[in-house]
Amino acid sequence: MKHLLSLICLLSALSLQAQTFLFTGEIADDKANRLTSAVAVLLNPSDSTMQYYAITGSNGRFEIRNIKNGSYLLQISLLGYNTLYRRISIPLPEGEDAGTFILIQKVFKMDDVTVTGERIPIRIKKDTLEYDARSYKVKTDGVAEDLLRNLPGIEVDRSGNVKAMGENVKNVLVDGKEFFSGDPKVATKNLPADAIKKVQLFNKKSEESQFTGIDDGLRNPTVNLVLEENKKTGIFGNVEGGAGTGDHATTGAKVYRFTKQTQFAALGMYNNINQYGFSLGDYINYSGGLSSFSDHSGRIALAGDNDFPVDYGQPVYGKGSNGAAGLNFSVSGSPNDRILFSYLGNGSSRDLTGSSISRNFIPEGSYRTDQTFKEQKRDSTHRISFGLRKMTGEKQNIIINGGFGINSNGNPVNLVSGNFLNNEQQNLLQKLSAEQNSTISGNADALYLLKVNEGRTIFRFSGKADITDDNSRTRFNDTLEYLSPYQMITSSQFYNFRSSSGNYSAGTSLSLRLSKLSFAEFSVKGGLRTEYIRRKQGDLPLSVPDPALSPGFMKHEEYIRPAISWKRGTQISQLILSIGSEAGKFYTSLNHDDPQLKSYFYLNPQLSWEYDYRSGRRLNLSYSSVVNTPAAYQLLPVVNNLNPLILSYGNRDLKPEQVNEARMSWWLFDQFSFTSFLASLSMTYTKDKINIARNIDDKLNETVSLVNVRDDYAAGADLDFATPIKPLGVRINFDLSERFNRGISIINNTENINTIISHRLSLKIDNRKKEKWDIEAGTAVTITGSRYSVQNSFNNVYSDISWFSEISYTPGIHFNIKASADITNYSARSFSGARLIPLAGAEASWHFMKYQRGSLTLTATDLLNRNTGLQRLSEINYLTERRTDMLGRYFLLSFRYRLNRNGGNKGSVDIQVRKR
């Protein structure tokens, strides 16, 4: 890693030593008015790709630095004006300042240059940045993600997450339409870059706001991929397959068909190299859902209890084979009418071996839990999504979304667990279990909007339904040994569990225009939720349910939420004030006993203010309050003894939580320098937080139940800064994240106040011009500190430091190579020891055949064979380190064949020089 960073520094130093030049000028119209936001670009005359650029400020001047000597085509453009072209040589013979360039609004014909099929790399259209895809070089088999990496103002991290203008992009459209239900990475990771004509970047308002004209304050940074016209006349895509060492193999196909009215895509893949599907949703489904991240403890799950990888692209633990298929179809009768349909299916078979060490805190001291486990997970998931957009004239709009899913999985587990007090083992649990699970779910929501009185009155009606049915069958054999005094307990049982739920709601609202800028809204929403739990448990082989362990439990809830809102919107600000309330009741019934009823009433005020005080400057303030009632599994008072060392109980007397959250953010984006800055602060106060009460006896048996604690506090702060450093030819991205949480749990009837503070600092540097070289390097440091009121001696601080670098080189259309290196260092403090995990990989591709339709790629993964799955987690009253096996080193040779026949440099600038 040190050698790589030295190489990067050396390359930067050499670039500084090379002689470069400055080019400045002024852009005005034919009336001598200086023009703001005009784009001056130096193009490569041979292929019209962008080499250097600048955007004029309020004074109409531009400045381009660090230009290499040579011949260029100068292109000056601004929306509404005729584009100007001129051949220039750098350095200019008359000096650095080229004087004033005039743009006019009539047909402009230069005496010495005629331009046809013009290509403008960047256009600024009011609130939209538009990039011409052909002005940016991408490797021959690149996808949309590779193109986005090259665009000024857009950043793509190594996991494929996209940031634009400093904000996270969660909405990627294709020709202005949703693609695979709007999952952004399905588009960015799969659509070929050579199919894209333009990339448009803007803040998208909600569909409701666009129709009604009433700004609801909702903004989604959106990327729209506009396809080439010649890609809408046939089928394009690719097929591929590969094989490598250790019997590793991969195969896949992608087929696309787009027209002005229809959108069709079919994706398929199979591999045994831990490549999980097309998106984050696939990653979760492949892994068996959120439950796959459990620690086999048997504890009742709470939010934040699992170390869940929030970014697609995180390590995949274990070894297995995976298959996936996807289908997307939409048809549009008009720009405002369309039908959407998509299907994503996947299946996986994963073997996982690992171990964990946990430190558990009690008032008298601490004890250690050691576990080893072996799993054989088998999963399959099928998900269908659909949607309808129907606008009737200018007064009525109907929006419908829905979906249906089926998931099944099996998971035999071999677990050995032991507890140690003062390094002396107290007990030993050996567990063999096998689980089969199936889940069916469905959801639908509809929205109807009607404008009356010429838009002065808006009527809104909405409805929503969600249903889930989950079935599992588990067989387990336990051998539990207590060592002092010695005692052995064996158990062989069945555990059949079924949970079904339904959530139904409907609401209506009436918006009245009070003035040109303000509206009043009166709304009411009502709903009901039902949850049923049916559990059968007993001894094998008789399979007779034990009444004490086989409850039937039901929760039924009804609620109503009236609210009054005032909304005021101008060109630069949107203010929403709302006062609402929630009144409800829920009752529970255990084994058909007399229902226990609980009623609740809360006031839930809300505030939202957005202030765009200058172009590219935005201030946001918001406050919201919501009510969370306990779920049925949290209320169930019957013991869960799947882990005999940890007996878990729900609590029928739990009260609802009220979560109050305030957020503030300041956003800056300078379209002239493509500098972005985002600062945000959030604070959360939860009243009657549902948390854990633990009791540990002298044999280290643990009893876990749920209780309401008086409060819980959380806060977070984030800074994100990105800017180009033009003299060095690089871009930097700096992130600082701070997290604070103060929670309360009960340990042996003693209140434990746990405070967790984490700091994360990351720095990434990459080169701006990616014509041939794409170099990216960075580091991240995470420091976590925990304090426990039960014993200050347990207070601890631990840190993780990681470095990464990635270099790719594309000398031409036939060849490209890539190498990457990652080093993660885990500190020893508070855990079993320091860990250093180095990863290295490389890839080389050769493109051949006509139009480079064929390619061979050799991939080397984990060259040092040092990859180790490691997770560290700090929770309210325990620390856990989990280690699992990984795929390890392998080499893979693959072949890809592109189906489309289009080649050449379509639409490039054609320059004809006239001789006088």
Side-chain angles (χ1 to χ4, degrees):
M1 180 64 192
K2 292 181 180 178
H3 295 301
L4 178 59
L5 293 177
S6 298
L7 175 60
I8 295 172
C9 293
L10 177 61
L11 291 173
S12 299
L14 290 175
S15 66
L16 284 173
Q17 292 175 1
Q19 188 175 11
T20 58
F21 301 92
L22 177 68
F23 175 55
T24 66
E26 182 183 77
I27 302 175
D29 62 14
D30 54 358
K31 297 179 181 179
N33 297 313
R34 295 180 177 89
L35 298 178
T36 303
S37 300
V39 182
V41 181
L42 294 180
L43 302 172
N44 185 333
S46 63
D47 58 11
S48 305
T49 56
M50 186 176 72
Q51 303 297 300
Y52 306 92
Y53 71 92
I55 302 175
T56 59
S58 58
N59 59 359
R61 293 197 61 81
F62 67 87
E63 183 179 279
I64 305 177
R65 292 180 175 271
N66 302 106
I67 309 171
K68 294 181 181 180
N69 65 327
S71 297
Y72 298 93
L73 177 66
L74 172 64
Q75 177 194 71
I76 297 177
S77 62
L78 180 63
L79 186 65
Y81 293 83
N82 215 18
T83 303
L84 175 112
Y85 289 88
R86 182 171 299 173
R87 283 191 182 276
I88 65 170
S89 294
I90 300 294
L92 297 176
E94 62 273 16
E96 297 172 343
D97 195 325
T100 301
F101 297 91
I102 303 298
L103 294 183
I104 58 178
Q105 296 181 340
K106 62 181 181 179
V107 177
F108 181 81
K109 187 174 181 181
M110 299 175 62
D111 290 337
D112 55 349
V113 177
T114 301
V115 183
T116 60
E118 68 178 15
R119 187 169 295 283
I120 301 173
I122 303 173
R123 284 186 185 271
I124 300 174
K125 300 180 177 180
K126 295 184 179 180
D127 59 349
T128 299
L129 274 176
E130 184 176 274
Y131 306 87
D132 191 295
R134 290 295 188 211
S135 297
Y136 304 88
K137 285 193 174 181
V138 181
K139 63 181 182 178
T140 300
D141 59 349
V143 294
E145 179 179 295
D146 300 308
L147 171 62
L148 295 178
R149 291 180 191 274
N150 292 338
L151 304 182
I154 297 181
E155 302 166 44
V156 183
D157 68 19
R158 303 178 74 210
S159 297
N161 303 297
V162 180
K163 275 188 176 181
M165 299 184 290
E167 297 183 287
N168 292 320
V169 172
K170 298 180 180 180
N171 196 24
V172 175
L173 307 177
V174 178
D175 276 345
K177 304 169 187 174
E178 297 88 343
F179 189 68
F180 278 98
S181 299
D183 191 327
K185 291 184 182 178
V186 180
T188 59
K189 288 182 172 291
N190 293 283
L191 275 176
D194 64 1
I196 300 171
K197 179 181 181 181
K198 296 178 182 178
V199 176
Q200 296 173 336
L201 174 61
F202 56 93
N203 268 321
K204 185 178 184 292
K205 294 183 179 180
S206 67
E207 291 181 282
E208 181 177 345
S209 179
Q210 292 179 65
F211 175 75
T212 63
I214 303 175
D215 199 327
D216 53 15
L218 298 177
R219 297 288 188 276
N220 286 310
T222 298
V223 169
N224 181 35
L225 306 176
V226 182
L227 300 180
E228 290 276 10
E229 290 300 321
N230 58 22
K231 298 295 182 181
K232 301 178 184 180
T233 58
I235 293 175
F236 65 97
N238 63 65
V239 294
E240 63 180 310
T245 59
D247 296 325
H248 291 108
T250 181
T251 184
K254 303 172 185 178
V255 178
Y256 307 94
R257 176 76 165 92
F258 294 95
T259 69
K260 292 183 178 180
Q261 287 77 36
T262 62
Q263 185 185 83
F264 173 82
L267 313 175
M269 61 170 287
Y270 173 82
N271 68 82
N272 59 1
I273 55 174
N274 279 357
Q275 292 182 355
Y276 279 69
F278 310 110
S279 68
L280 172 62
D282 290 337
Y283 181 88
I284 299 173
N285 292 329
Y286 270 134
S287 304
L290 298 179
S291 61
S292 67
F293 300 100
S294 67
D295 60 358
H296 306 289
S297 68
R299 295 185 178 96
I300 298 174
L302 291 175
D305 247 9
N306 292 317
D307 185 20
F308 175 63
V310 295
D311 291 334
Y312 177 70
Q314 293 287 328
V316 177
Y317 302 105
K319 304 174 181 178
S321 56
N322 323 285
L327 181 68
N328 182 80
F329 177 76
S330 70
V331 58
S332 302
S334 69
N336 297 314
D337 295 347
R338 60 185 182 277
I339 298 174
L340 319 170
F341 171 86
S342 67
Y343 162 80
L344 283 173
N346 51 55
S348 71
S349 173
R350 185 180 65 170
D351 296 335
L352 181 65
T353 301
S355 62
S356 69
I357 300 175
S358 300
R359 288 180 59 198
N360 305 273
F361 305 125
I362 55 178
E364 299 79 16
S366 68
Y367 67 93
R368 189 181 86 242
T369 301
D370 293 356
Q371 287 188 353
T372 61
F373 54 89
K374 184 176 182 179
E375 302 180 16
Q376 293 178 309
K377 295 181 68 67
R378 307 292 183 266
D379 302 280
S380 66
T381 299
H382 305 273
R383 179 70 186 174
I384 293 173
S385 300
F386 59 86
L388 170 68
R389 309 290 185 268
K390 179 66 176 177
M391 185 180 295
T392 304
E394 297 181 354
K395 294 186 177 182
Q396 299 183 76
N397 195 13
I398 299 173
I399 302 172
I400 297 176
N401 296 295
F404 176 78
I406 300 176
N407 173 266
S408 62
N409 63 76
N411 187 22
V413 176
N414 185 343
L415 172 71
V416 178
S417 178
N419 289 325
F420 295 78
L421 184 62
N422 298 323
N423 291 322
E424 292 187 7
Q425 187 165 0
Q426 305 297 307
N427 52 50
L428 176 67
L429 171 64
Q430 299 181 69
K431 186 179 191 69
L432 294 173
S433 67
E435 178 185 1
Q436 294 289 330
N437 178 271
S438 63
T439 302
I440 299 175
S441 62
N443 68 282
D445 62 81
L447 174 65
Y448 171 74
L449 298 168
L450 174 65
K451 293 192 289 189
V452 295
N453 298 331
E454 297 182 351
R456 297 183 62 85
T457 303
I458 308 295
F459 173 76
R460 182 184 190 274
F461 177 80
S462 63
K464 186 175 182 179
D466 292 278
I467 58 171
T468 302
D469 188 77
D470 182 84
N471 282 276
S472 66
R473 298 170 59 86
T474 304
R475 302 293 181 267
F476 63 90
N477 294 283
D478 291 346
T479 301
L480 176 59
E481 298 176 79
Y482 295 99
L483 303 182
S484 180
Y486 184 81
Q487 181 185 9
M488 177 183 287
I489 302 172
T490 61
S491 176
S492 180
Q493 293 192 339
F494 70 94
Y495 181 97
N496 298 338
F497 182 88
R498 182 175 183 181
S499 172
S500 56
S501 65
N503 187 356
Y504 313 93
S505 63
T508 185
S509 68
L510 189 67
S511 298
L512 303 175
R513 184 185 293 274
L514 303 178
S515 67
K516 183 178 180 180
L517 300 176
S518 64
F519 282 82
E521 182 178 277
F522 305 89
S523 65
V524 61
K525 180 179 180 181
L528 63 90
R529 304 187 186 100
T530 57
E531 295 180 76
Y532 297 91
I533 292 177
R534 292 171 286 275
R535 199 171 87 192
K536 302 295 183 182
Q537 184 176 352
D539 293 331
L540 293 171
L542 298 178
S543 299
V544 177
D546 182 346
L549 299 174
S550 304
F553 188 74
M554 182 267 292
K555 175 196 172 188
H556 179 89
E557 179 180 3
E558 300 170 359
Y559 62 89
I560 186 168
R561 299 172 184 164
I564 300 176
S565 303
W566 178 69
K567 304 179 180 181
R568 186 179 189 275
T570 68
Q571 289 290 99
I572 63 172
S573 70
Q574 294 79 38
L575 175 64
I576 301 174
L577 297 174
S578 176
I579 180 67
S581 64
E582 179 168 346
K585 60 183 179 180
F586 65 90
Y587 63 85
T588 59
S589 175
L590 176 63
N591 297 327
H592 304 290
D593 66 359
D594 291 334
Q596 292 188 10
L597 178 66
K598 290 187 179 299
S599 300
Y600 60 89
F601 176 82
Y602 293 90
L603 287 176
N604 294 321
Q606 297 197 25
L607 162 70
S608 174
W609 181 55
E610 177 182 295
Y611 181 40
D612 295 305
Y613 59 94
R614 278 179 55 193
S615 176
R617 310 289 193 274
R618 183 186 308 146
L619 182 66
N620 288 86
L621 296 174
S622 66
Y623 167 80
S624 64
S625 176
V626 297
V627 177
N628 297 324
T629 59
Y633 76 91
Q634 295 176 312
L635 295 164
L636 178 63
V638 180
V639 65
N640 180 332
N641 65 354
L642 282 176
N643 185 335
L645 288 174
I646 305 177
L647 304 181
S648 297
Y649 293 85
N651 182 355
R652 203 170 175 181
D653 294 324
L654 288 176
K655 297 183 293 185
E657 300 175 334
Q658 186 182 33
V659 182
N660 302 273
E661 182 178 21
R663 299 184 64 88
M664 178 177 65
S665 64
W666 178 48
W667 173 78
L668 177 152
F669 177 72
D670 186 347
Q671 66 186 24
F672 306 112
S673 65
F674 291 99
T675 295
S676 64
F677 178 78
L678 178 65
S680 64
L681 176 67
S682 64
M683 293 170 285
T684 303
Y685 164 70
T686 304
K687 181 183 178 183
D688 297 321
K689 171 75 173 179
I690 298 174
N691 226 325
I692 290 175
R694 307 169 68 213
N695 280 281
I696 298 97
D697 63 20
D698 55 0
K699 292 185 177 181
L700 300 185
N701 294 306
E702 183 176 345
T703 302
V704 177
S705 60
L706 298 180
V707 296
N708 288 105
V709 297
R710 61 180 181 272
D711 53 41
D712 185 276
Y713 296 92
D718 294 277
L719 293 176
D720 184 292
F721 175 72
T723 188
I725 302 179
K726 294 182 179 180
L728 296 178
V730 301
R731 294 183 299 188
I732 64 167
N733 183 268
F734 172 83
D735 282 295
L736 176 64
S737 177
E738 299 286 325
R739 294 292 181 268
F740 166 86
N741 180 243
R742 176 191 175 276
I744 300 174
S745 64
I746 310 298
I747 306 176
N748 286 1
N749 299 316
T750 300
E751 184 180 89
N752 170 45
I753 299 177
N754 175 222
T755 304
I756 299 176
I757 302 176
S758 68
H759 323 271
R760 188 177 191 277
L761 174 66
S762 67
L763 176 66
K764 184 185 78 172
I765 303 175
D766 68 322
N767 61 318
R768 296 178 64 213
K769 289 186 59 179
K770 301 179 184 294
E771 185 176 350
K772 293 185 178 181
W773 288 94
D774 189 350
I775 304 174
E776 185 176 334
T779 185
V781 180
T782 303
I783 302 173
T784 303
S786 299
R787 296 198 302 269
Y788 303 88
S789 66
V790 290
Q791 281 200 13
N792 292 334
S793 61
F794 299 149
N795 297 346
N796 65 87
V797 177
Y798 62 93
S799 62
D800 304 332
I801 304 175
S802 62
W803 301 268
F804 76 89
S805 61
E806 188 171 284
I807 299 178
S808 63
Y809 177 58
T810 307
I813 61 174
H814 295 289
F815 187 67
N816 63 272
I817 59 175
K818 181 171 70 173
S820 63
D822 295 77
I823 300 175
T824 303
N825 180 54
Y826 298 91
S827 66
R829 186 170 179 178
S830 304
F831 290 97
S832 58
R835 295 285 184 271
L836 182 69
I837 301 177
L839 300 176
E843 179 181 289
S845 296
W846 175 49
H847 310 284
F848 57 99
M849 304 175 64
K850 189 176 181 181
Y851 304 134
Q852 296 76 51
R853 293 173 65 186
S855 64
L856 280 174
T857 301
L858 178 63
T859 304
T861 301
D862 191 14
L863 285 168
L864 302 177
N865 205 26
R866 295 277 303 277
N867 198 4
T868 301
L870 184 64
Q871 298 165 288
R872 285 180 168 179
L873 182 65
S874 175
E875 281 295 336
I876 290 178
N877 42 49
Y878 64 90
L879 291 171
T880 295
E881 177 179 274
R882 191 182 192 204
R883 283 176 282 174
T884 53
D885 59 343
M886 303 291 283
L887 196 59
R889 178 171 55 204
Y890 68 89
F891 298 86
L892 187 77
L893 181 65
S894 59
F895 171 74
R896 175 180 295 178
Y897 181 76
R898 296 198 294 166
L899 301 177
N900 51 304
R901 298 177 177 272
N902 298 307
N905 189 16
K906 300 287 184 182
S908 61
V909 178
D910 176 23
I911 306 168
Q912 300 173 355
V913 180
R914 291 184 178 179
K915 295 183 179 179
R916 297 186 177 182

